[in-house]
């Protein structure tokens, strides 16, 4: 009997080792600190490439315009953004442009390749993925997480299979054809070691000599890996998680960057004013849900404070984009800039399904809300301060 128990324990140990937790090579604080300089160099390379390709796009377009799309994080609520993209692309007046640059955070990173392509087939593909999310994406509880030590407590195998099924050789070829025209796609992860966001260029990942699709899938999975829930991944020796840890949108360029862009445009012979249109799709509302709080419950008050810290960052980020647009238009010669923002109503946050991880009926409803808003006569929203509740008719 004792031998049988030992054999069972050995078999269980072998099973757990086969599904081992996330591991990394030994690393010291000195190694991490020195990697900060490497990260700065890599960021500079991404920035320079981004500006170079924007100049190329401005030269190739005949309308003196650059279109940049920012897709936010939001988990299952990304169904709203998918619906919005579909509705926008189907408009007869003011249809969705061909974006020169698309950036995505978390669920927005998953949407970004299909938004860049912008074809009905591409948008139908991502819509189908979200509609089947409860069965094809939603992780299941990893009952052995306390032994496996994966850094999360869910099993993401079916999500990773779904990601591999859509990010395939066909999609790779379609994206590379767009990249060849100077169009670009960037998204971010959170480097948990350095405590910073890292920006990744999908073209660079797909241009690698060794296993480009595997690299792209790794980056996109990690960009959506919610800390503490989804297992993180080790990328180039560092632990990475969801880019939404740093910011829920990825604006990419600062005022100084736009000044540099202006100088590069002039040097490249681009004359006249170039209009930069910044389109923002928030895959989640911008304000915390309304709650009735008990003043004597310290735990609930602490949780509510953390919740409010997250939500307050959303309108602040959007207001900074609007301030950036005003500064670019006023202070950068040869450039003007406008921002348009779409977001689901904050009142939706209190409805059944809004607090789930992946709820089929809720996601279908959100997709329809996004679709109808994009096709309406008032598809764009105004930004409301974190000191006021938003009102949308």
């Amino acid at each position: 009997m004792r031998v049988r128990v030992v054999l069972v324990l050995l078999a269980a140990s072998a099973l757990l080792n086969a599904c081992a937790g996330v591991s990394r090579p030994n690393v010291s604080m000195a190694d991490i600190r020195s990697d900060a300089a490497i990260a700065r160099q890599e960021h500079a390379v991404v920035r320079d490439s981004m500006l170079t390709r924007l100049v190329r796009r401005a030269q190739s377009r005949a309308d003196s315009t650059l279109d940049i799309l920012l897709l936010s994080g939001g988990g299952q609520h990304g169904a709203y953004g998918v619906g919005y993209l579909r509705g926008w692309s189907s408009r007869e007046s003011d249809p969705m442009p061909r974006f020169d640059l698309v950036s995505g955070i978390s669920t927005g990173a998953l949407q970004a390749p299909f938004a860049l392509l912008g074809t009905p087939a591409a948008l139908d593909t991502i819509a189908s993925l979200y509609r089947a999310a409860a069965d094809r994406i939603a992780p299941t509880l990893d009952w052995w997480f306390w032994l496996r030590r994966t850094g999360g407590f869910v099993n993401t195998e079916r999500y990773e299979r779904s990601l591999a099924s859509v990010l395939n050789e066909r999609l790779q070829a379609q994206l590379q054809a767009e990249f060849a025209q100077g169009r670009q796609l960037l998204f971010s992860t959170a480097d948990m070691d350095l405590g910073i966001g890292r920006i990744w260029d999908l073209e660079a990942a797909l241009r690698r000599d060794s296993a480009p699709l595997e690299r792209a899938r790794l980056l996109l999975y990690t960009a959506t890996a919610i800390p503490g829930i989804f297992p993180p991944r080790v990328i180039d020796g560092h632990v990475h998680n969801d880019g939404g840890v740093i910011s829920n949108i990825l604006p990419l360029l600062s005022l100084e960057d736009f000044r540099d862009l202006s100088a590069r445009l002039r040097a490249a012979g681009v004359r006249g004013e170039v209009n930069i249109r910044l389109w923002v799709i928030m895959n989640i509302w911008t304000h915390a849900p309304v709650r009735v709080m008990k003043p004597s419950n310290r735990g609930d008050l602490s949780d509510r404070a953390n919740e409010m810290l997250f939500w307050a960052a959303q309108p602040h980020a959007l207001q900074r984009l609007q301030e950036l647009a005003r500064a670019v238009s006023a202070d950068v010669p040869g450039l003007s800039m406008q921002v348009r923002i779409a977001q689901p109503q904050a009142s939706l946050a209190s409805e059944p399904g809004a607090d789930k991880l992946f709820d089929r009926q809720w996601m279908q409803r959100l997709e329809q809300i996004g679709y109808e808003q994009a096709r309406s006569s008032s598809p764009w929203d105004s930004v409301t301060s974190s000191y006021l509740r938003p009102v949308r008719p």
Side-chain angles (χ1 to χ4, degrees):
M1 182 67 178
R2 182 176 298 175
V3 172
R4 184 179 299 172
V5 170
V6 170
L7 290 174
V8 169
L9 290 174
L10 287 174
S13 175
L15 176 62
L16 290 175
N17 287 333
C19 303
V22 176
S23 62
R24 66 182 306 173
N26 291 330
V27 64
S28 67
M29 285 297 294
D31 294 330
I32 295 297
R33 290 191 181 100
S34 67
D35 285 348
I38 297 174
R40 282 194 295 272
Q41 294 169 0
E42 292 176 346
H43 182 86
V45 169
V46 171
R47 173 191 175 277
D48 183 71
S49 175
M50 192 189 326
L51 294 176
T52 298
R53 284 179 285 176
L54 284 174
V55 171
R56 178 181 170 190
R57 290 294 297 173
Q59 289 176 308
S60 64
R61 291 185 59 159
D63 58 356
S64 300
T65 302
L66 289 172
D67 287 297
I68 300 175
L69 174 65
L70 311 183
L71 297 165
S72 86
Q76 68 163 351
H77 312 299
Y80 166 85
V82 168
Y84 195 97
L85 288 168
R86 289 182 55 249
W88 190 8
S89 68
S90 69
R91 287 181 64 101
E92 294 182 2
S93 62
D94 301 319
M96 187 171 76
R98 262 183 109 235
F99 302 109
D100 303 290
L101 168 61
V102 176
S103 80
I105 290 286
S106 195
T107 197
L110 184 61
Q111 298 166 348
F114 305 94
L116 184 74
L117 294 177
T119 62
L123 297 179
D124 284 347
T125 296
I126 189 62
S128 296
L129 186 63
Y130 274 73
R131 289 170 194 158
D135 302 313
R136 295 182 57 193
I137 291 181
T140 56
L141 179 64
D142 179 2
W143 295 100
W144 295 97
F145 74 90
W146 52 281
L147 285 176
R148 270 193 260 263
R149 300 178 65 83
T150 63
F153 63 81
V154 297
N155 185 321
T156 59
E157 288 181 1
R158 64 179 179 182
Y159 172 42
E160 294 180 72
R161 285 196 301 269
S162 292
L163 186 59
S165 71
V166 294
L167 186 50
N168 52 28
E169 289 81 2
R170 183 170 179 270
L171 183 65
Q172 178 184 12
Q174 292 174 329
L175 289 170
Q176 287 176 321
E178 302 303 325
F179 295 149
Q181 299 177 43
R183 303 177 73 204
Q184 49 190 315
L185 191 163
L186 297 106
F187 57 94
S188 79
T189 61
D191 186 322
M192 308 299 275
D193 292 319
L194 287 174
I196 60 173
R198 297 293 301 274
I199 298 175
W200 304 97
D201 181 347
L202 189 60
E203 179 187 12
L206 292 175
R207 202 172 54 231
R208 288 167 62 97
D209 294 331
S210 174
L213 271 178
E214 286 76 4
R215 174 72 171 190
R217 291 165 183 163
L218 169 66
L219 292 173
L220 280 173
Y221 164 83
T222 311
T224 61
I226 306 168
I229 300 177
F230 285 52
R233 290 293 182 263
V234 177
I235 301 175
D236 302 337
H238 284 221
V239 178
H240 287 254
N241 265 121
D242 192 317
V245 171
I246 302 297
S247 175
N248 210 29
I249 53 175
L250 183 59
L252 297 169
L253 297 173
S254 67
L255 180 59
E256 288 305 314
D257 293 327
F258 282 109
R259 290 195 175 109
D260 190 359
L261 175 62
S262 175
R264 293 180 184 220
L265 288 168
R266 302 288 84 78
V270 177
R271 299 290 178 258
E273 186 175 82
V274 174
N275 181 28
I276 298 171
R277 299 191 297 186
L278 204 61
W279 311 94
V280 184
I281 297 179
M282 295 295 292
N283 281 300
I284 200 166
W285 37 87
T286 59
H287 288 66
V290 175
R291 302 194 191 284
V292 176
M293 302 299 300
K294 294 182 179 179
S296 61
N297 192 319
R298 292 182 299 169
D300 283 354
L301 289 170
S302 178
D303 290 344
R304 178 62 164 172
N306 289 329
E307 179 184 48
M308 290 172 67
L309 281 172
F310 169 80
W311 290 109
Q314 312 313 312
H316 289 170
L318 296 175
Q319 287 173 327
R320 286 197 297 271
L321 283 180
Q322 292 182 322
E323 291 163 1
L324 175 63
R326 287 191 289 269
V328 168
S329 297
D331 300 332
V332 180
L335 294 183
S336 64
M337 186 172 173
Q338 295 84 39
V339 180
R340 296 290 182 270
I341 298 163
Q343 59 193 6
Q345 300 175 42
S347 60
L348 292 169
S350 301
E351 296 195 12
D355 59 350
K356 302 291 180 61
L357 191 57
F358 288 96
D359 183 90
R360 182 182 291 104
Q361 291 184 339
W362 172 251
M363 294 177 72
Q364 290 173 351
R365 180 170 177 233
L366 273 184
E367 181 186 347
Q368 188 63 27
I369 288 172
Y371 181 85
E372 291 174 358
Q373 180 181 335
R375 289 182 56 84
S376 72
S377 58
S378 55
W380 304 104
D381 297 292
S382 58
V383 177
T384 303
S385 164
S386 57
Y387 292 91
L388 297 169
R389 296 296 301 181
V391 176
R392 179 180 171 82

